[in-house]
Structures are given as C-alpha cells and as structure tokens.
C-alpha cells in the first residue's frame, strides 16, 4: 500500500510517500519520496525553537512540501491508500498544522487517516533500513525532547525501562552548544568540533604548542558522567550544563590572556560528546545484560552522531547481538518514519491503536502534545 506521511511536531515540515508490503512477518518498505523543509534558519538567532514562529512556517510550507513529495514519488492523491500524520508528542502549535492539514486532505480525498505517535515513528525508522529485526528488541531513543530506553516485546508492545529525569540527550547537546556560542542545533556543531579536536591531538605539531600543553596537562578537561553507576536505567543530563559552564569559565579566566579559545572549545566539545555518549552506552549495555534482547537499536536525532554509533557498536560486539541504526536520512525528524509507523498501526500493531480506518476517520484524529508511547 502507498502511504502519505505528514510530520510537523517540531521544526521540520516534512512529508513522504512510501510503499509498504509484507505485513508483520515480512515487512518491506520502499521510500518513494522523503521531503522536508527545515526551519533552522528561522530559529537559529533565538538559540532554540520559538513555537509560534514554527507554527507559522509550517503553515506556509506544508502544502508546497506535500505537493513536492507527491511529485518526487511520481504519484497522485488518488493512488494514496492511507494518510499517516504525527499527532504527538510535540509542540502543540506545530502539531496542529500537520494534523489539520492531514484531516482536510483525508476529507477532501476521501482517504483513511491515522494518527501516529512521533516516538513510535522514530522507532520504526529502523525498519526502513534494516531487515530481520527480532523481538524482544532494546531501543535507545535519543532525540531533542526524549531520552528513553524501551523494551519492545512485539509490534505495539513497549515497556519504558528508563528515561531522563530532566533534560534529554539532544537537549543537552543543544544547551551546552549554546553556552559555548556554537549556535543551533547543538548536536552537529559539537560533533564537528569534537572531530576537529581529535585531529588536533593527533597532530604532532600541536604538542609543541605551549598553550596546548597547558590545556592537556594542567587542565585535563573532564566532565562528570551523571548517573552512570545508578542501579536503574534512568538518565540525568541537566547537571552537565552547569559543569560545562564552570569549566568553560575556568578555562577562559585562569589561563587567561591570549589563550587559544578555539582550542578550549574544541576540547570541551569533545568531552561533552564523550560524557553524554558514555552514559548512554553504559546504560544500554546494562539493559542488554539484564533483558537479553535479540536486537538492539538506536534512533532519534542524536543517533546521527558517529561517535555514538561507534561506541555502541564496540560495546555491544562481545554480546553478539545485532545493533541496528537508521540511515542518516531517517535519524532526525522525517515523514518516511511516520509513514512506516502508520503501516504497522494500520495493521493493528501500534501503541496508538490501529483502528482509525473506519469511515470518516478524519474526525477522530486529534493532536496531543503529551502523547505517551
Ligand atoms: O529527533 P530529532 O530530529 O527531533 C526531536 O524529535 O526532538 O532530534 C533533534 C536533536 C537535536 O537536539 C540535535 O542537536 C540532535 O538531535 N542531533 C545530534 C546530531 N544531529 C542531530 N546530536 C548529536 N550529534 C549529531 N550528529
Ligand atoms: Zn523527533
């Protein structure tokens, strides 16, 4: 079946068309188009997402984005079998644009529609790329708003075994990047500087640089790994922000004068990235040992992070369990993953309940900013 997915939960206006077949036993997906309009340029100067501006931009771009995705998929509304739209969780002003557009299209085109849980969308992003996903599966969901360890026993059967008590991992990247003046979104900016730092410390020339020596010996840039040894599977990232602030100020005042601040920032970015990833990886392994999953997956915007992928792969290797990651195109918010979740939902295998395909189903779809898995 052909599914049109629509996603506007945060700051990406996204639409996609996928062809899905095979049911639960042999699901097969082909992404015919995956179109997205990013609002980063709009929110950048504010250092974070401004909900009303997001809503306005969604309103402006939603129809052109849907038209474009149908064009790329070389399809027409009458060929669409189902509309799947993100109905939560997310920012209410943003969600409303996608949900109401999808409802109007379902009504006008006389198509069935169902509401998708955004987090479930991230989970199913893995199905777009990977085959042979076996249950029980352990999933680390790491996005801008969520950090959760979920045990998935079957389609639609989730148990949250741990989650963040305060900031999400992506939020931590974003907030610390803001402290360092790196702009928004913070994750890719920090990852890039961390990569630079890796090449700086590998460069023998930098070892003769006196400033570098000071940094490396006197000021070992070291951040805490919050809750890494706690007995549960929960996380806490808000303390890292404060630790980063103090360290950053220390480095810049104590070492003073003409110290190469770029070098500080690179070192600090590398350590922020390591601190976040260490905690995520250690907690995931602890859950692997306790729950014996057949598959481990990561998903969400932060799963685009290369070091996270490498460290998880390395730590999971001894357990001989496959680690699945989505294609980079499906890590940050996109509508292809919403279409995939819509497919399973239509088959009755989703947390949000599948039975939305009745006549006039458009009347039943409502946005819910706090929708739970
Ligand atoms: O899943 P997503 O696109 O949106 C939400 O559902 O929240 O995730 C966005 C988050 C942001 O916090 C962003 O900084 C982070 O994902 N992110 C990254 C990387 N790319 C995006 N974090 C670390 N490394 C990256 N390469
Ligand atoms: Zn997301």
């Amino acid at each position: 079946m052909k599914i049109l997915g629509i996603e506007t939960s945060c700051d990406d206006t996204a639409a996609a068309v996928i062809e899905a077949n095979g049911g639960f036993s042999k699901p097969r997906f082909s992404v015919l188009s995956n179109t997205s309009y990013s609002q980063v340029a709009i929110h950048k100067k504010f250092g974070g997402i401004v909900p009303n501006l997001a809503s306005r931009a969604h309103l402006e771009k939603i129809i052109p984005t849907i038209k474009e995705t149908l064009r790329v998929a070389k399809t027409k509304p009458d060929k669409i079998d189902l509309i799947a739209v993100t109905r939560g969780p997310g920012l209410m002003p943003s969600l409303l644009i996608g949900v109401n557009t999808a409802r109007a299209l379902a009504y006008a085109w006389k198509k069935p529609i169902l509401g998708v849980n955004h987090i479930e969308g991230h989970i199913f992003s893995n199905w777009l790329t990977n085959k042979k996903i076996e249950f029980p599966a352990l999933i680390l969901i790491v996005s801008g708003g969520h950090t959760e360890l979920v045990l998935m026993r079957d389609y639609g059967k989730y148990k949250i075994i741990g989650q963040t008590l305060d900031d999400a991992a992506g939020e931590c990247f974003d907030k610390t990047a803001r402290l360092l003046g790196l702009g928004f979104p913070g994750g890719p900016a920090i990852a890039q500087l961390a990569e630079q730092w890796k090449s700086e410390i590998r460069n023998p020339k930098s070892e003769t640089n006196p400033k570098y020596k000071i940094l490396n010996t006197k000021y070992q840039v070291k951040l805490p790994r919050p809750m890494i040894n706690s007995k549960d599977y929960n996380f806490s990232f808000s303390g890292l922000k404060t630790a980063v602030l103090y360290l950053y100020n220390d480095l810049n005042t104590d070492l003073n004068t003409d110290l190469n601040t770029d070098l500080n920032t690179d070192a600090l970015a590398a350590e922020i990235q390591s601190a976040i990833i260490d905690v995520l990886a250690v907690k995931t392994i602890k859950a692997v040992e306790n729950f014996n999953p057949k598959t481990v997956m990561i998903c969400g915007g932060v799963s685009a992070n290369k070091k996270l992928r490498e460290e998880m792969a390395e730590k999971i290797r001894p357990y001989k369990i496959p680690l699945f990651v989505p294609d980079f195109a499906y890590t940050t918010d996109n509508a292809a993953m919403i279409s995939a979740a819509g497919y399973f939902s239509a088959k009755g295998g989703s947390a949000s309940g599948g039975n939305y395909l009745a006549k006039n189903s458009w009347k039943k779809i409502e946005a819910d900013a706090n929708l739970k898995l």
Side-chain angles (χ1 to χ4, degrees), residues 102-358:
R103 277 164 55 118
L105 292 179
Y107 173 76
W109 295 347
K110 299 187 175 55
K111 298 290 174 185
I113 176 174
L114 50 78
V116 168
N117 181 309
H118 180 80
I119 300 302
E120 207 169 16
H122 276 302
I123 290 175
F124 282 116
S125 66
N126 265 299
W127 270 256
L128 292 172
T129 323
N130 302 299
K131 303 195 168 56
K132 299 214 175 317
I133 293 173
E134 286 187 78
F135 300 119
L138 178 71
I139 308 158
L140 174 69
I141 302 162
V142 271
S143 70
H146 292 262
T147 299
E148 282 160 14
L149 264 171
V150 170
L151 196 65
M152 184 175 180
R153 294 197 186 278
D154 202 345
Y155 288 103
K157 300 231 169 2
Y158 308 102
K159 185 172 184 224
I160 298 174
I161 58 168
Q163 58 194 313
T164 184
L165 305 177
D166 39 59
D167 289 350
E171 208 172 347
C172 186
F173 273 110
D174 293 338
K175 288 181 175 172
T176 51
R178 197 171 163 181
L179 280 175
L180 305 187
L182 301 178
F184 171 84
I190 288 194
Q192 197 195 336
L193 292 194
E195 204 46 45
Q196 236 161 270
W197 176 245
K198 216 164 81 183
S199 61
E200 274 156 8
I201 53 175
R202 279 204 191 124
N203 178 359
K205 267 195 212 148
S206 63
E207 279 171 23
T208 56
N209 177 343
K211 292 165 192 163
Y212 174 85
K213 270 196 177 153
I214 297 170
L215 248 183
N216 218 20
T217 53
K218 184 172 169 204
Y219 279 83
Q220 284 290 339
V221 187
K222 193 78 193 155
L223 287 167
R225 267 70 176 154
M227 290 182 72
I228 198 163
N229 293 319
S230 73
K231 292 209 162 56
D232 52 23
Y233 302 99
N234 290 332
F235 305 89
S236 166
F237 291 108
S238 73
L240 261 182
K241 257 181 343 220
T242 327
V244 168
L245 183 65
Y246 287 142
L247 199 52
Y248 189 56
N249 288 344
D250 272 5
L251 284 168
N252 285 317
T253 49
D254 287 10
L255 293 180
N256 223 314
T257 62
D258 68 338
L259 179 86
N260 185 342
T261 318
D262 287 350
L263 213 53
N264 283 347
T265 314
D266 294 358
L268 203 42
E271 177 63 5
I272 292 168
Q273 179 174 264
S274 295
I276 296 173
I277 291 173
D278 285 352
V279 181
L280 294 173
V282 165
K283 286 279 162 108
T284 307
I285 293 301
K286 198 172 145 181
V288 165
E289 287 180 348
N290 207 9
F291 294 97
N292 289 317
K294 292 203 173 124
T295 308
V296 181
M297 288 180 264
I298 50 177
C299 61
V302 181
S303 72
N305 187 287
K306 288 206 189 107
K307 181 149 192 285
L308 174 66
R309 289 170 174 230
E310 284 163 16
E311 195 164 321
M312 290 282 282
E314 197 184 305
K315 286 210 159 73
I316 287 173
R317 200 166 297 124
Y319 298 88
K320 304 201 168 10
I321 308 169
L323 168 72
F324 291 130
V325 293
D327 267 4
F328 285 107
Y330 310 129
T331 52
T332 48
D333 290 349
N334 64 90
M337 69 183 195
I338 301 304
S339 312
Y343 178 67
F344 290 116
S345 189
K347 302 265 164 207
S350 113
S352 23
N355 202 12
Y356 282 104
L357 299 182

